[in-house]
Amino acid sequence: MKRLRLGVNVDHVATLRNARGGVYPDPVKAAELALAAGADGVVAHLREDRRHIRDDDMRRLRALSAPLNMEMAPTEEMIAIARALRPHACCLVPERRMELTTEGGLDVAGQETLIQTAVAQLADAGIRVSLFIDPDPKQVHAAHRTGAPAVELHTGAYASGGADELARLQEAAALAAALGLECHAGHGLNFENVGPIAAIAEIEELNIGHFLIAQAVYDGLAAAVRTMLARMEEARRGANAG
Ligand code: PXP
């Protein structure tokens, strides 16, 4: 069985940074921490509205030695940016301005020519393309026809508790592998629901973002509070001694 890789999406470190308009916390620093902890690669979504990750973040993430997976809509603007940046991989996703996150898979079957062209333009720049699709056999077959080497199965409906969603993912992963597509998965995965997905033998990569960044608050807040209290006490001691 192939090893299962983890790509860590750092979009929401940028969300937190942008809330204050400064440079802290830095998604590149978070990417370095994730890689040092054993993550296999870094994922970042450059959205049309630049609500979290910005162009300069992409350039700095690209400069890291680990593989960068750039999530993007298959638009002319994004294809030009990706061709100049040359990340290891691009994951093509649907994008609607008002959505909170990527709400469904890319309709490859409904826009095959457009996706095929995007795949070819990115492949021409040496970029490995995956298509973020719902676990639907129609979409898996269409993805295969575009010439993309990989698909990423959208696990959002599974994560929301949809009945039969695990079976749909298992079947789509088996179909993708049978067609020779590398199979990835992601969206909404967390400690509770990752097990059955990680157990699907055909899946070679999971891409996880929001939960990991949120969990880092729980895992890290106590240490940050302790350090702050120590600095405060230290300063008080210094003031009293002086
Ligand atoms: N994979 C893709 C293609 C995505 O668009 C996203 C969300 O940016 C993820 C994985 C990660 O989803 P989550 O942030 O819910 O872990």
Side-chain angles (χ1 to χ4, degrees), residues 2 7 16 39 41 46 58 83 99 111 133 153 164 166 179 192 218:
K2 290 199 177 139
L16 203 53
L46 188 66
M58 293 305 303
R83 282 172 56 88
E99 68 188 358
Q111 43 181 347
I133 55 171
L153 301 178
D164 305 330
L166 181 60
L179 293 171
E192 306 304 321
Y218 290 170

Side-chain angles (χ1 to χ4, degrees), residues 9 11-12 45 71 91 93 101-102 132 152 186-189 207-211:
N9 180 313
D11 290 353
H12 296 298
H45 184 173
E71 285 180 14
C91 180
V93 303
T101 180
T102 313
F132 189 45
E152 179 168 329
H187 211 281
L189 295 178
N207 292 310
I208 307 182
H210 184 266
F211 170 77

Side-chain angles (χ1 to χ4, degrees), residues 66-132:
L68 171 64
N69 179 359
M70 173 179 177
E71 285 180 14
M72 54 178 251
T75 60
E76 261 180 48
E77 182 203 12
M78 288 300 153
I79 291 168
I81 291 172
R83 282 172 56 88
L85 189 71
R86 291 177 183 257
H88 169 75
C90 278
C91 180
L92 298 184
V93 303
E95 197 175 293
R96 283 199 303 275
R97 257 174 189 263
M98 299 313 287
E99 68 188 358
L100 288 178
T101 180
T102 313
E103 282 165 1
L106 191 64
D107 180 14
V108 182
Q111 43 181 347
E112 226 171 289
T113 310
L114 183 141
I115 303 298
Q116 194 165 19
T117 305
V119 169
Q121 287 173 323
L122 293 167
D124 176 59
I127 301 166
R128 195 168 165 77
V129 182
S130 69
L131 303 179
F132 189 45

Side-chain angles (χ1 to χ4, degrees), residues 171-187:
E171 284 159 24
L175 175 61
L179 293 171
L181 289 163
E182 186 173 309
C183 189
H184 309 163
H187 211 281

